[in-house]
Amino acid sequence: MLRRLLPTLVALGCGLLALGWGLVSLQRIFSRERDDAHAQLRSRRDALAHAGEEALRQNLTRKLDESIVPLHAAVGDPLEPGEGFYLNFRDYQFLPRLTIPMPGTETPARDLWARLGARLKDGGAAGAWEPRLTRLRAVEAALAAKDARGVAMRVEELLRYHAAHRLPPEQELPFLLLVVERLQRGDATPPLVRALLREGLPEDFGGFARASGLQRDLLRERSRFTQADFDFLHARVVQVSAALGEPTADFLARASEAGAGMLVIPEDLYEPTLLGELWYVEPRGEALYGIAVDLEAMLQPITQDMQARGLFDSTGRLRLRAGGAFRPLRTLKLAVDLPEWARQEADIDARYGLKTLLVAVCGALAVAIFALAVVAQQRKYRFLELKSDFVATVSHELRTPLASIRLLGETLERKLAQAPEVRDYPARIVQAADGLHFLVENILSFNRIDKGRWRLRTSRVRLEELVPPLRDELASATSVPVHVTADVDGAELEADLGLLRMLFSNLGRNACAYNRRDPIEITIRAQVIPGYGCTVLFQDNGIGIPASEWENAFLDFYRVTTPGTEVHGSGLGLALCRRIMKLHRGDIQVAASGPDGTTFALIFNEPHR
Ligand code: ADP
């Protein structure tokens, strides 16, 4: 069988291989298609991100350029806003301003201010402060005398002395505060005294270098005071400024300006760089300039501009890719988030998945077709084998009775006169002819039923009617006595009489053929189940059928080989019986079988009357 199947297998295998190669190539094309589509999307996205990065770089540089003037102003004037600027020159951070107070809780400046105030009041000796206090008292006296020229002269003298004898800021500021407080007279305050508060003294009084106004000096020298001293001086300066009608808004704002502390700058910073996402710094000459930035906010106008130019729709968004703490501007990377593209990417993947599924299904189908073709081919050869076996068997079966008929006829002719040896020859000739007739009938009926050409002619058949002809047929078909007993109790069936006869003949002949007993016993019983149908049990006392062969015995051309018995047959009888029963919408089965005989159950489903 395998040898006969080999060419088919080889042809199918080659076909399968070719198909497999085709499917693999197709799959490769699909995956290249998907990669190309992804790459196309990626390159569009990269181009947009690149444009966004370029715009952001330009905006940062421009913003820093615009900040240079206010940044310089903040460095020169402590009252100018310095928040959001960074300036480092020769390793000193000018901006953001360092607002770190002296550690500790002492208040030396406040104490000095109180002590000097007390000395002014009680006139007591003040040591090194005496020349200053004396000059201050003189101004007060001139003020009290309303001597305008005297006041101007005394104030000038006091300030010249002060300028000539420099004090450290932690002493100078409480003293100057005391001076302003003592000498302020509202609108009548001497101009130089008023200048001490905010505007600063002219250059020849020590202005610019120091004494550029208490407000500025306090802010500039903040780190020389403890927090308590600073708070004290700050409150008094605000108080006296308010009394003199001097502006305090910027002073208050700068005093409460949040100090950013020291920014950590990498040693080798030599190009525009982002520090985290908060600062943008750029080295220019020896200085390092910087501005505080809100990158997310800066990205918005760029995004809007791109939307306006139709580069992406209103759902698109530029986003900063995560980066390190120090990021040179040239390495800045943006990402473009566009739901439409995400959808397109998902579509590409879904299409690819579908195509892959199709290829897989085609592959599975090809394998299934291959398997089916092999099975069909195998079945075909098996059928051909069965057919040729059947032809061989039937030819043999036909030849045997024919040979017998011929031999018996010749012998009968020769020995016609000589009795008694030839007495049973005519009977045997008839028997052989009957056997042949039975076989031919079986083949014809089987063929007609198999091809659906049998037209069922049903009538009410009484089971009893079938028994006498069966008895006669078996008596003439076999030399061993056959006892057929029937217990059918007047049972009737709606059936084709001709087919029922053929059914009983086949069962009866098998009962005789596969039997070694003498006499042969056949019992037919009918069990009627009202409303359901009728079961006819056909029992013999033959050699029995092995349990494993009960179903196989009904297959077309199937013969059960029983060691020790040599019975000729075609393997058609029981197959025909089953077809007859199926035609009657019933079935036939082996109900029981063993060494004592076999019982076949004929199940007629049709309701019995
Ligand atoms: P055939 O008798 O031509 O071989 P059948 O289809 O009638 O073909 O029977 C199939 C096989 O079943 C037989 O080869 C036989 O071995 C077994 N068989 C059928 N009827 C009986 C029976 N009554 N007792 C024992 N074996 C039987």
Side-chain angles (χ1 to χ4, degrees):
M1 165 87 82
L2 194 69
R3 231 185 40 217
R4 293 173 81 180
L5 272 178
L6 203 63
T8 316
L9 281 178
V10 170
L12 281 173
C14 288
L16 197 68
L17 274 181
L19 192 71
W21 180 79
L23 288 176
V24 168
S25 309
L26 202 63
Q27 179 64 17
R28 269 211 214 116
I29 292 172
F30 289 155
S31 71
R32 202 170 308 143
E33 242 175 46
R34 180 198 55 178
D35 293 347
D36 286 352
H38 276 307
Q40 224 174 347
L41 275 181
R42 204 165 32 243
S43 76
R44 276 173 68 193
R45 188 184 295 145
D46 287 351
L48 285 183
H50 189 68
E53 286 156 12
E54 205 45 52
L56 184 61
R57 277 189 208 112
Q58 283 172 8
N59 286 1
L60 282 169
T61 314
R62 198 179 53 240
K63 198 163 180 233
L64 181 63
D65 287 344
E66 288 165 3
S67 303
I68 293 293
V69 173
L71 186 148
H72 279 161
V75 174
D77 185 352
L79 285 176
E80 286 295 324
E83 266 179 321
F85 297 134
Y86 177 81
L87 178 67
N88 186 310
F89 185 71
R90 293 191 180 159
D91 282 340
Y92 182 78
Q93 178 180 310
F94 286 86
L95 291 172
R97 297 180 181 109
L98 297 172
T99 55
I100 307 154
M102 283 265 286
T105 53
E106 298 91 62
T107 54
R110 180 185 187 151
D111 298 346
L112 177 63
W113 173 86
R115 201 170 65 243
L116 293 178
R119 288 297 81 80
L120 277 176
K121 232 183 232 168
D122 62 16
W129 289 94
E130 201 51 47
R132 281 182 168 83
L133 294 190
T134 309
R135 285 173 175 79
L136 181 55
R137 282 193 200 101
V139 180
E140 282 184 316
L143 276 171
K146 298 207 179 352
D147 172 7
R149 269 196 68 216
V151 169
M153 274 173 55
R154 303 276 186 275
V155 169
E156 204 178 312
E157 196 193 332
L158 169 68
L159 293 179
R160 281 196 192 290
Y161 178 85
H162 178 72
H165 301 84
R166 307 294 297 269
L167 291 170
E170 52 273 33
Q171 292 179 4
E172 182 182 306
L173 293 189
F175 173 69
L176 289 179
L177 172 66
L178 190 71
V179 170
V180 178
E181 285 178 335
R182 300 287 302 200
L183 301 183
Q184 68 94 2
R185 294 290 184 278
D187 289 342
T189 305
L192 280 175
V193 173
R194 181 182 285 272
L196 274 176
L197 195 58
R198 185 175 162 93
E199 291 311 315
L201 295 172
E203 208 173 335
D204 53 334
F205 288 100
F208 302 117
R210 179 71 53 78
S212 50
L214 271 170
Q215 291 185 356
R216 286 189 177 80
D217 287 345
L218 184 59
L219 291 172
R220 192 179 289 128
E221 307 295 348
R222 185 172 186 166
S223 56
R224 290 176 181 269
F225 298 96
T226 62
Q227 185 64 44
D229 261 349
F230 177 79
D231 291 343
F232 167 73
L233 293 172
H234 174 258
R236 306 272 337 167
V237 168
V238 170
Q239 206 177 348
V240 73
S241 298
L244 284 176
E246 289 293 324
T248 53
D250 49 1
F251 174 63
L252 283 168
R254 297 299 88 76
S256 59
E257 205 168 77
M262 287 284 281
L263 278 194
V264 182
I265 304 289
E267 295 254 313
D268 55 348
L269 196 148
Y270 56 86
E271 60 181 325
T273 301
L274 282 168
L275 308 179
E277 286 186 18
L278 280 182
W279 289 96
Y280 166 65
V281 295
E282 204 180 299
R284 293 187 177 183
E286 277 187 84
L288 186 62
Y289 288 88
I291 43 173
V293 287
D294 179 350
L295 290 176
E296 283 301 323
M298 286 183 81
L299 283 177
Q300 267 173 24
I302 300 174
T303 307
Q304 281 159 6
D305 177 52
M306 286 180 151
Q307 285 169 354
R309 284 194 283 150
L311 296 176
F312 47 72
D313 63 23
S314 59
T315 54
R317 204 172 73 87
L318 283 173
R319 174 172 53 82
L320 199 68
R321 281 185 195 276
F326 306 112
R327 199 163 15 165
L329 194 58
R330 67 188 156 75
T331 65
L332 178 92
K333 286 275 169 267
L334 292 183
V336 184
D337 290 338
L338 200 60
E340 172 61 24
W341 287 353
R343 246 193 322 278
Q344 281 181 22
E345 297 222 309
D347 280 355
I348 292 169
D349 287 336
R351 274 202 301 275
Y352 174 72
L354 203 67
K355 286 175 185 168
T356 306
L357 187 72
L358 271 180
V359 170
V361 169
C362 285
L365 270 179
V367 172
I369 289 171
F370 174 81
L372 279 177
V374 170
V375 171
Q377 204 65 7
Q378 200 182 8
R379 287 231 170 133
K380 184 180 151 196
Y381 284 125
R382 171 97 186 109
F383 177 73
L384 287 177
E385 264 174 21
L386 282 174
K387 204 166 126 187
S388 85
D389 284 356
F390 175 73
V391 170
T393 311
V394 168
S395 318
H396 181 74
E397 288 300 301
L398 288 175
R399 203 184 297 132
T400 310
L402 272 177
S404 301
I405 292 167
R406 185 173 172 71
L407 187 70
L408 292 173
E410 280 174 2
T411 312
L412 193 62
E413 192 182 38
R414 260 188 280 117
K415 298 191 174 179
L416 200 57
Q418 301 166 17
E421 298 102 303
V422 294
R423 210 172 28 216
D424 64 336
Y425 278 21
R428 286 169 66 188
I429 289 173
V430 172
Q431 193 182 347
D434 281 352
L436 197 54
H437 176 76
F438 176 74
L439 181 61
V440 170
E441 278 302 307
N442 258 7
I443 294 170
L444 289 176
S445 306
F446 182 86
N447 208 31
R448 281 169 67 192
I449 295 177
D450 203 38
K451 295 231 161 85
R453 286 199 208 125
W454 189 281
R455 285 192 32 231
L456 208 60
R457 288 191 200 89
T458 53
S459 59
R460 299 301 305 168
V461 179
R462 290 176 56 242
L463 274 179
E464 282 162 2
E465 288 173 37
L466 299 170
V467 180
L470 177 67
R471 209 174 270 141
D472 295 346
E473 183 185 341
L474 297 182
S476 62
T478 177
S479 48
V480 183
V482 185
H483 292 169
V484 181
T485 38
D487 177 11
V488 289
D489 211 13
E492 280 187 3
L493 292 170
E494 185 74 23
D496 185 318
L497 181 62
L499 286 183
L500 275 195
R501 283 216 170 110
M502 200 174 290
L503 175 78
F504 274 56
S505 292
N506 270 291
L507 293 177
R509 280 176 184 262
N510 277 354
C512 300
Y514 303 102
N515 204 327
R516 294 195 196 103
R517 293 201 170 82
D518 188 357
I520 294 165
E521 301 279 357
I522 294 176
T523 313
I524 302 170
R525 284 191 304 275
Q527 291 177 350
V528 179
I529 306 164
Y532 285 95
C534 170
T535 301
V536 178
L537 296 174
F538 195 103
Q539 185 183 356
D540 64 39
N541 60 345
I543 57 174
I545 306 172
S548 59
E549 300 283 10
W550 284 9
E551 260 311 300
N552 293 338
F554 293 98
L555 295 177
D556 299 350
F557 315 122
Y558 191 90
R559 305 209 61 231
V560 179
T561 45
T562 318
T565 49
E566 254 201 46
V567 180
H568 296 293
S570 58
L572 210 56
L574 288 183
L576 178 63
C577 289
R578 180 156 273 179
R579 275 178 173 68
I580 291 172
M581 287 309 294
K582 295 275 176 196
L583 261 185
H584 286 87
R585 295 195 300 276
D587 199 5
I588 177 169
Q589 287 162 2
V590 175
S593 188
D596 294 335
T598 305
T599 305
F600 289 94
L602 284 61
I603 304 151
F604 291 90
N605 288 323
E606 182 184 50
H608 170 257
R609 273 190 292 172

